[in-house]
């Protein structure tokens, strides 16, 4: 009896915040502070936990920012990640699709930073239509190389 895996997104609450902390500590080379997680709880649809057959396997967190022209806005993806054993099942795509569903008509583009040697993430985002915009030297503190690409997708 094999059936398709069930994938779903869930709200981040005080009760499950520790799951987000653990997953982020595994996935990202950054130690996020308490304020980051407070913002995550309060972000509503812009922060979600991803589940694969009821197991928490990923997180996404983004924020809307004003654009330079003040008439439009951009969306910044702070985190979007899936635990390695659960990649290539569509969980990352599910989270990214969710982000796209929650952009406003004023949003001109979505962007994020990716470490320059994270080939798997670079390939994922480029497959989704993101392009390498700039290279930021010394973006990360505790990993080598510390540089990041800014990836952007125009809406």
């Amino acid at each position: 009896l094999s059936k398709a895996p069930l994938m779903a997104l869930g709200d981040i609450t005080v009760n499950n915040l520790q799951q987000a902390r653990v997953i982020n500590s595994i996935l990202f080379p950054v130690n996020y502070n308490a304020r980051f997680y407070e913002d995550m709880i309060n972000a509503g649809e812009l922060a979600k936990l991803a589940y694969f057959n009821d197991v928490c396997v990923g997180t996404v967190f983004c924020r809307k920012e004003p654009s330079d022209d003040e008439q439009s806005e951009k969306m910044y993806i702070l985190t979007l990640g899936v635990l390695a054993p659960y990649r290539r099942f569509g969980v990352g795509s599910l989270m990214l699709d969710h982000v796209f569903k929650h952009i406003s008509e004023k949003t001109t583009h979505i962007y994020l930073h990716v470490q320059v040697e994270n080939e798997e993430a670079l390939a994922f985002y480029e497959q989704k239509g993101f392009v390498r915009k700039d290279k930021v030297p010394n973006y990360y503190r505790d990993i080598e190389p510390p540089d990041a690409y800014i990836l952007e997708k125009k809406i």
Side-chain angles (χ1 to χ4, degrees):
L1 289 167
S2 89
K3 48 183 215 188
L6 175 65
M7 293 182 292
L9 300 179
D11 293 339
I12 297 176
T13 67
V14 173
N15 295 329
N16 64 19
L17 182 62
Q18 188 60 27
Q19 290 177 313
R21 285 181 190 270
V22 168
I23 288 175
N24 284 347
S25 73
I26 294 167
L27 293 174
F28 304 111
V30 177
N31 290 320
Y32 295 105
N33 61 26
R35 171 69 192 265
F36 176 90
Y37 289 104
E38 288 171 26
D39 291 347
M40 200 177 211
I41 289 173
N42 296 318
E45 291 299 318
L46 300 182
K48 293 291 182 182
L49 292 174
Y51 295 91
F52 184 90
N53 288 338
D54 295 328
V55 175
C56 187
V57 299
T59 66
V60 60
F61 180 27
C62 46
R63 68 174 177 234
K64 294 178 181 179
E65 301 176 341
S67 287
D68 298 334
D69 66 8
E70 298 181 19
Q71 301 299 313
S72 59
E73 66 185 18
K74 52 193 173 182
M75 180 81 78
Y76 179 61
I77 299 174
L78 291 99
T79 61
L80 189 153
V82 178
L83 296 174
Y86 299 94
R87 293 180 189 153
R88 306 218 176 271
F89 288 105
V91 179
S93 295
L94 178 70
M95 289 188 289
L96 191 57
D97 290 346
H98 181 81
V99 171
F100 285 122
K101 286 179 191 162
H102 288 89
I103 58 175
S104 76
E105 58 282 342
K106 296 190 313 181
T107 305
T108 58
H109 64 279
I110 298 177
Y111 75 106
L112 69 151
H113 292 85
V114 176
Q115 197 255 356
V116 294
E117 288 189 353
N118 188 343
E119 293 297 333
E120 192 174 8
L122 291 168
F124 171 79
Y125 287 108
E126 288 171 350
Q127 175 191 351
K128 301 293 184 182
F130 286 76
V131 295
R132 296 178 197 197
K133 192 80 172 154
D134 291 307
K135 186 175 179 179
V136 182
N138 299 311
Y139 181 76
Y140 296 104
R141 279 189 286 215
D142 297 328
I143 58 172
E144 284 297 324
D147 306 336
Y149 288 119
I150 296 175
L151 299 183
E152 180 182 281
K153 180 174 174 126
K154 295 201 181 297
I155 305 300

